[in-house]
Amino acid sequence: MEKKSEINGHAMPSSASTARMLENSEEPVEEDHQQQQEEKKRGCKERLTRFLSRNLLVILTVSGVLVGVGLGMLVRGMNLSKAQMSHFAFPGEMLLRMLKMIILPLVVCSLVSGAASLDTRSLGKLGGIAVAYFLVTTLIASGIGVALAFIIKPGVGAGALNTNSLGLESVSSNKETTDSFLDLARNLFPSNLVAAAFRSYATDYKMVAVGNDTNGTILYQKVPIGTEADGMNILGLVLFAMMFGVALRILGEEGEELIRFFNAFNEATMVLVSWIMWYIPFGIMFLVGSKIVEMEDVVLLVTSLGKYIFASILGHIIHGGIVLPLIYFAFTRKNPFSFLSGLITPFTTAFATCSSSATLPSMIKCVEENNGVDKRISRFILPIGATVNMDGAAIFQCIAAVFIAQLNNTELNAGQIFTILVTATASSVGAAGIPAGGIITIAIILEAIGLPTNDLSLMLAVDWIVDRTTTVVNVEGDALGAGILHHINQLEMKRHQQEVAEELEEVKVESVANVQAEEETSPLVMHQTKILEGMPEAIESVL
């Protein structure tokens, strides 16, 4: 019997040529399969390479924090001297100096160019929405702080705790609440813009003799006097830059050259920021490591103030993980966590530096590049947010105020609780965007409700722990606010484009209708067309 084989379902007699045909038909199938596997491997490699190149800075920054923790624990056992500790912290100090160096040109130029690029109507509307968003979120944060403090009761049973038992230096503030808010208003309008770059106004007091009483004792009166405190007056610079940008916009053509100058200055500053960001992973490693080395008796602090630390961090998790994302979703109907996933580098920077101002450069860059927020929005709203929006600070300040009241066995009435909410919301506007900037604000709240400020050093002792999550929540609120404003601006632009398109359609329809009407009714046109129709015949007859 002759062997038969099949090709495409048809029986074929077996032969050498048939075998070759079968081999040739199988070879392309094997080659296609190999090519597909190679393409899959190549595709996986390309995707991995693309992922690494896009997220390399994030991976390095997070790795820097983890390595810094390990390095700090390792060096901690070496019992370094104070001088050696300062040498160990030097790379981290350099990172902070770089970030602070870039704050002044970044804030001024971005606000001038941002305010000048928006028309006055849009600026007013967006500014109003931003202020409302900042006030509402800060008030919600204050409410969360007070509620958690009354639920967890961090100060109940800790009456024996004082600064001496923990070996802390006492911190006190004798500043009147009225003068604190007056200083806020004074700093909005600095008398010297150059000095505002490195100094701010602060009220101090001196005792002045005003006469004698009946016993001959000299009577003294506390008189407020103006002093200059070290630290940038960021509030005054922000207000001036905004007003200056609006003035340039109103000037029109005359102000365009100066607007272009500030735009170019701003772009050059962002290039510097992109260079600094590549140093962040290395600097953060030593910044975190040095903090761990400097810690003294952590166990004693955590056991003594554990409930206060827990209440503060829980408040930050609730506000940053639930409340703010829900507000963002309510406005935009988009996933807030996909928006936040593009901001891991600024969040890590905020966690390591404890400074909203120092996080501003990387935040602006990541919000624009990773989340596609309009430059005009981000460069206008983020510098303002870094100055006035302090949700995380409001939470821990309210918890601290209630904690100190419980520590001193003081029952707070409804009026005092309301005072805490309002004062924390208002005073967070003027809180410095620097490490431990909120401690001074707690003193204002305590003065407002009539509590002693002697226990502030307890807050300062654990501030390096709480301030990390505080700063992350602060900058998260700024970023989500920029996202909400960008969404509202996009809707306004679409609505405006639709209105313009509808107007153009109406004009088009009207013009077509007018042309048709003229053609049908105008005797002059009809007479001219008849003459023109008759002209070729006349020309032919002449020829």
Side-chain angles (χ1 to χ4, degrees):
M1 291 284 295
E2 188 180 4
K3 287 184 182 178
K4 296 195 175 188
S5 59
E6 289 186 4
I7 296 177
N8 295 333
H10 299 285
M12 297 285 293
S14 180
S15 64
S17 61
T18 308
R20 279 196 298 274
M21 285 172 66
L22 285 168
E23 286 174 6
N24 291 336
S25 65
E26 287 172 3
E27 280 175 6
V29 175
E30 289 177 2
E31 286 177 3
D32 288 343
H33 185 64
Q34 286 176 355
Q35 283 179 357
Q36 285 176 359
Q37 285 184 335
E38 285 177 4
E39 283 176 5
K40 280 182 182 178
K41 287 179 182 177
R42 199 180 300 117
C44 289
K45 284 181 181 176
E46 284 177 1
R47 281 198 296 273
L48 183 63
T49 308
R50 204 180 302 120
F51 174 80
L52 288 173
S53 63
R54 195 186 301 120
N55 299 295
L56 182 60
L57 187 60
V58 175
I59 294 164
L60 288 174
T61 307
V62 175
S63 303
V65 173
L66 298 175
V67 172
V69 171
L71 187 64
M73 298 300 285
L74 188 69
V75 174
R76 189 173 166 77
M78 295 181 181
N79 297 321
L80 299 180
S81 65
K82 294 287 184 185
Q84 288 170 331
M85 280 184 190
S86 68
H87 296 157
F88 178 71
F90 178 73
E93 183 192 345
M94 291 304 293
L95 172 63
L96 281 175
R97 293 179 76 87
M98 286 180 195
L99 291 171
K100 287 176 181 177
M101 170 190 73
I102 213 78
I103 289 168
L104 180 63
L106 185 67
V107 167
V108 173
C109 296
S110 63
L111 273 173
V112 169
S113 60
S117 62
L118 295 167
D119 61 87
T120 314
R121 181 173 159 274
S122 298
L123 187 68
K125 187 174 182 180
L126 291 174
I129 294 168
V131 169
Y133 167 80
F134 291 153
L135 283 176
V136 169
T137 53
T138 309
L139 197 57
I140 291 170
S142 302
I144 290 170
V146 170
L148 282 175
F150 278 105
I151 292 166
I152 296 171
K153 294 181 170 52
V156 173
L161 185 67
N162 54 43
T163 56
N164 296 328
S165 64
L166 296 175
L168 302 171
E169 294 179 6
S170 61
V171 177
S172 62
S173 171
N174 62 344
K175 197 169 183 180
E176 299 287 339
T177 308
T178 310
D179 288 322
S180 297
F181 285 105
L182 288 176
D183 285 353
L184 188 65
R186 290 184 184 110
N187 281 320
L188 278 170
F189 301 96
S191 58
N192 187 331
L193 275 174
V194 178
F198 51 88
R199 283 204 190 103
S200 56
Y201 186 94
T203 298
D204 201 357
Y205 302 94
K206 70 175 181 178
M207 302 304 290
V208 177
V210 291
N212 300 328
D213 63 2
T214 53
N215 298 326
T217 308
I218 300 172
L219 296 174
Y220 289 95
Q221 196 172 14
K222 189 165 75 169
V223 178
I225 54 168
T227 59
E228 298 290 332
D230 287 336
M232 189 189 302
N233 179 9
I234 194 80
L235 210 58
L237 293 172
V238 161
L239 185 65
F240 172 78
M242 280 175 57
M243 294 299 102
F244 193 67
V246 172
L248 288 177
R249 174 84 184 185
I250 291 168
L251 273 178
E253 290 183 5
E254 291 179 7
E256 281 179 5
E257 287 185 13
L258 205 50
I259 292 170
R260 281 198 297 271
F261 165 78
F262 278 107
N263 286 336
F265 204 135
N266 200 12
E267 293 301 327
T269 308
M270 292 308 295
V271 172
L272 292 177
V273 168
S274 66
W275 294 347
I276 292 169
M277 283 180 73
W278 286 105
Y279 180 75
I280 285 175
F282 183 73
I284 274 180
M285 182 171 68
F286 285 93
L287 204 61
V288 173
S290 63
K291 281 292 174 188
I292 290 172
V293 172
E294 287 169 11
M295 291 187 304
E296 292 181 1
D297 199 342
V298 187
V299 179
L300 179 61
L301 281 176
V302 171
T303 51
S304 304
L305 299 166
K307 286 170 78 176
Y308 164 72
I309 296 167
F310 171 72
S312 298
I313 293 174
L314 181 62
H316 293 149
I317 291 168
I318 291 169
H319 192 72
I322 299 171
V323 175
L324 289 176
L326 278 176
I327 292 172
Y328 177 83
F329 178 76
F331 275 95
T332 64
R333 292 292 187 272
K334 293 177 184 175
N335 184 358
F337 298 104
S338 62
F339 182 89
L340 295 174
S341 64
L343 306 173
I344 295 171
T345 300
F347 290 156
T348 313
T349 308
F351 184 83
T353 60
C354 300
S355 172
S356 302
S357 301
T359 311
L360 183 61
S362 61
M363 179 59 81
I364 289 176
K365 188 172 177 61
C366 290
V367 158
E368 290 173 2
E369 292 183 0
N370 299 345
N371 293 331
V373 173
D374 191 340
K375 287 181 179 180
R376 294 173 300 171
I377 302 294
S378 63
R379 297 181 186 187
F380 169 68
I381 205 66
L382 287 174
I384 299 172
T387 310
V388 303
N389 187 35
M390 302 285 176
D391 294 353
I395 290 170
F396 99 86
Q397 286 162 11
C398 289
I399 292 172
V402 178
F403 168 75
I404 289 173
Q406 292 169 352
L407 201 65
N408 291 282
N409 297 317
T410 304
E411 287 289 330
L412 294 173
N413 56 39
Q416 287 174 315
I417 292 167
F418 179 76
T419 305
I420 289 172
L421 289 172
V422 174
T423 311
T425 304
S427 59
S428 65
V429 173
I434 56 170
I439 294 293
I440 297 133
T441 315
I442 299 173
I444 299 171
I445 298 169
L446 294 177
E447 289 284 349
I449 58 174
L451 283 174
T453 57
N454 301 328
D455 295 316
L456 275 179
S457 54
L458 294 173
M459 311 295 97
L460 200 56
V462 293
D463 191 64
W464 62 271
I465 301 173
V466 176
D467 207 15
R468 299 186 185 283
T469 51
T470 297
T471 311
V472 172
V473 174
N474 287 345
V475 299
E476 181 194 352
D478 302 342
L480 290 176
I484 290 168
L485 284 177
H486 173 71
H487 178 75
I488 292 169
N489 190 50
Q490 292 291 100
L491 291 178
E492 283 289 324
M493 285 173 67
K494 283 179 184 176
R495 195 180 295 116
H496 181 66
Q497 286 171 358
Q498 285 177 353
E499 287 174 1
V500 170
E502 286 172 5
E503 285 176 6
L504 287 171
E505 283 294 323
E506 287 176 7
V507 170
K508 204 173 182 182
V509 169
E510 285 176 7
S511 63
V512 169
N514 289 339
V515 168
Q516 288 176 351
E518 283 179 3
E519 286 179 354
E520 289 172 4
T521 58
S522 175
L524 180 63
V525 172
M526 290 172 71
H527 180 67
Q528 284 179 344
T529 50
K530 282 179 182 177
I531 292 170
L532 288 169
E533 284 171 1
M535 278 180 71
E537 294 174 3
I539 291 166
E540 282 178 10
S541 64
V542 169
L543 289 169

